[in-house]
Structures are given as C-alpha cells and as structure tokens.
Amino acid sequence: YDDPSEAAADLREAYVRHIAAQLRGVDPADAASDAELADRARRVLAFETGLAAHHLRSEERRDTDLILNRHDLAQLVALKARAGDLICLRGDLGAGKTTFARSLIRALLDDAAAEVPSPTFPIVQTYTAERIAVAHFDFYRLQGPDDLEEVGFHDALGRNLVIAEWPERVETALPAERLDIQLTAGSSDAHRRVELTASGEFAERLERMRAIAAFLAASGSVGPDAHISYLQGDASARTYARVVTP
C-alpha cells in the first residue's frame, strides 16, 4: 500500500476500481457518484491494508489481551457466526452468560431492543434473523447427554446457529468443532474476563475477529455507541461489515 512506485500505484488504482464495482453491486440503488464510490473503495483498501498489519501483529502476540465492552464483543462474534455453528457459554452462576447471549442475539437480529428471555425454563428459545436462524439453549435442567434428542439440539444444530449455556451438563455429546466462551469474574462487579477458544474451522474466524477488534480499537471505532453489523455482499469470497460511530 505504501509502495511509491508507478507499478504499485497502477495496481492500487486497478484494485480500487474493482472494489468500487463490487460496492456498486452491493446496493444498485445507491445514488453515489463514481467519484464517491472510488473514495469509499480507497478507504476499503486502506482498511484492509491496516487489518492485514494488525492480523500479523496478533499472530506474533497471542498473549495480548483486548479490552472490549460486551456490546462490541457480541457484535464481533455475530459478524463471524454462521448456520451450523455451536457457541458454548461457560461460567458460574451470575457470570453473565445469559446477558452475553442476549447481546449476541440482539446483534444477530440487528435490534438493540429485541426481547430475549432466558431459556432456563423452556430450555430453548428460537429467533429468525435476516441471514441466520438462532436457537438459544440452556442445558442446566438436563440430566445428561441423552436428553439432547428430546429438546431438539441435534436438529437445531443442523440448520441454525446454536448458542448453549451450561454445556458442561452434556459435555461428552458436544461436537469438537465449536467456539467456547468462558466468562469469569473481573477486577470489579462491572467487569468480566472473557476467554474465547475456537476449534476446527472456527479457529481461523477467531483470529480474524481478533484482528478486526485490534484494528477498530486502534482507530477509535469501538465503544457502547458504535454499531458493527454484517453487510450482505456479492458472490465473491469477500465479506463486508458496516461500522457506524457517533
């Protein structure tokens, strides 16, 4: 990106034109001029270059903690979640599992005021977001793995994003490929230490989430008033997100 050579400049402009064409395809009704789209495309190119640099640094410093509020973390997890994923929320009573699940589901629904009741008594609550169906389970009242079939866990996992509280109750029956989110006490009642552990294909997405979080934190684009949401893209492998700040 910083290469001053003429060849590099030509390559950058070709890439800008390519990105601009994709942006036009994302929303054909967008009334932006070609010049405005080109300006957006240059910002995308700069963002991706910075993101790559942060990704490299995160690979080198895996022990570095990131300080995020629940709102930001939930939006980042929602951004990378897909149908068929299993997200397990772990922690003691009062650790904040249901509170985090509520933030995550609201991020998936793109509705900060959505009603998200605890599934403790019904065992499962379901939601239909624009791009993904969600099943929120609480396994606390289950006797063991044999109860999973009765509550529809396997069927739900086949076609939904599944969020599960108290996975320890059915540990031996859980698929190995998943995202585990462990919540423990923090430095005060208002803080939690959150450890994310991914296995299988989710591991690569977790690294990407970390890189995005680092980039947004460095640019000042995180906080309780920031809004990070999935943006439907085109048929390419590229994925998009919209970040709105005050």
Side-chain angles (χ1 to χ4, degrees), residues 85-104:
D85 284 346
L86 173 61
I87 298 176
C88 293
L89 302 180
R90 302 173 181 273
D92 296 334
L93 280 170
K97 298 183 295 297
T98 301
T99 300
F100 182 80
R102 185 172 292 118
S103 294
L104 176 55

Side-chain angles (χ1 to χ4, degrees), residues 4-243:
S5 70
E6 184 176 342
D10 290 343
L11 182 60
R12 284 194 297 272
E13 284 306 303
Y15 194 42
V16 162
R17 289 193 295 272
H18 173 69
I19 296 172
Q22 289 188 318
L23 292 174
R24 179 72 79 189
V26 168
D27 186 2
D30 191 337
S33 67
D34 290 344
E36 289 172 323
L37 279 179
D39 183 58
R40 292 183 197 173
R42 290 187 180 92
R43 292 200 298 271
V44 170
L45 179 58
F47 175 89
E48 289 187 340
T49 305
L51 188 60
H54 277 286
H55 183 64
L56 289 173
R57 284 195 288 273
S58 73
E59 289 285 343
E60 296 165 0
R61 300 179 61 191
R62 292 177 182 272
D63 59 337
T64 301
D65 289 342
L66 292 173
I67 299 174
L68 297 171
N69 63 47
R70 183 184 72 245
H71 175 78
D72 290 327
L73 180 58
Q75 290 184 119
L76 286 172
V77 174
L79 189 63
K80 292 299 182 183
R82 302 173 185 170
D85 284 346
L86 173 61
I87 298 176
C88 293
L89 302 180
R90 302 173 181 273
D92 296 334
L93 280 170
K97 298 183 295 297
T98 301
T99 300
F100 182 80
R102 185 172 292 118
S103 294
L104 176 55
I105 292 168
R106 286 173 173 167
L108 289 160
L109 296 173
D110 199 19
D111 182 356
E115 185 71 20
V116 182
S118 169
T120 298
F121 291 103
I123 298 180
V124 60
Q125 298 278 4
T126 58
Y127 307 86
T128 303
E130 184 175 352
R131 70 180 182 90
I132 193 170
V134 182
H136 178 198
F137 285 88
D138 186 324
F139 296 143
Y140 185 76
R141 298 195 299 122
L142 299 192
Q143 297 302 308
D146 292 344
D147 291 343
L148 286 176
E149 193 67 36
E150 183 177 346
V151 300
F153 170 74
H154 299 296
D155 288 341
L157 189 58
R159 58 180 183 272
N160 301 277
L161 164 66
V162 171
I163 301 167
E165 298 183 45
W166 295 103
E168 299 87 350
R169 306 285 290 178
V170 294
E171 193 77 57
T172 58
L174 296 177
E177 186 165 325
R178 62 180 186 260
L179 175 65
D180 287 308
I181 301 180
Q182 177 76 45
L183 296 97
T184 54
S187 56
S188 72
D189 289 343
H191 294 82
R192 295 290 186 274
R193 180 171 180 82
V194 183
E195 182 177 345
L196 281 70
T197 305
S199 54
E201 190 270 338
F202 216 122
E204 183 178 346
R205 280 183 276 158
L206 180 57
E207 286 295 335
R208 190 70 170 168
M209 283 166 50
R210 182 182 180 86
I212 293 171
F215 179 85
L216 292 175
S219 66
S221 299
V222 293
D225 296 321
H227 184 65
I228 308 164
S229 60
Y230 181 88
L231 180 63
Q232 183 62 49
D234 50 29
S236 71
R238 184 186 303 276
T239 57
Y240 298 85
R242 178 183 285 115
V243 180

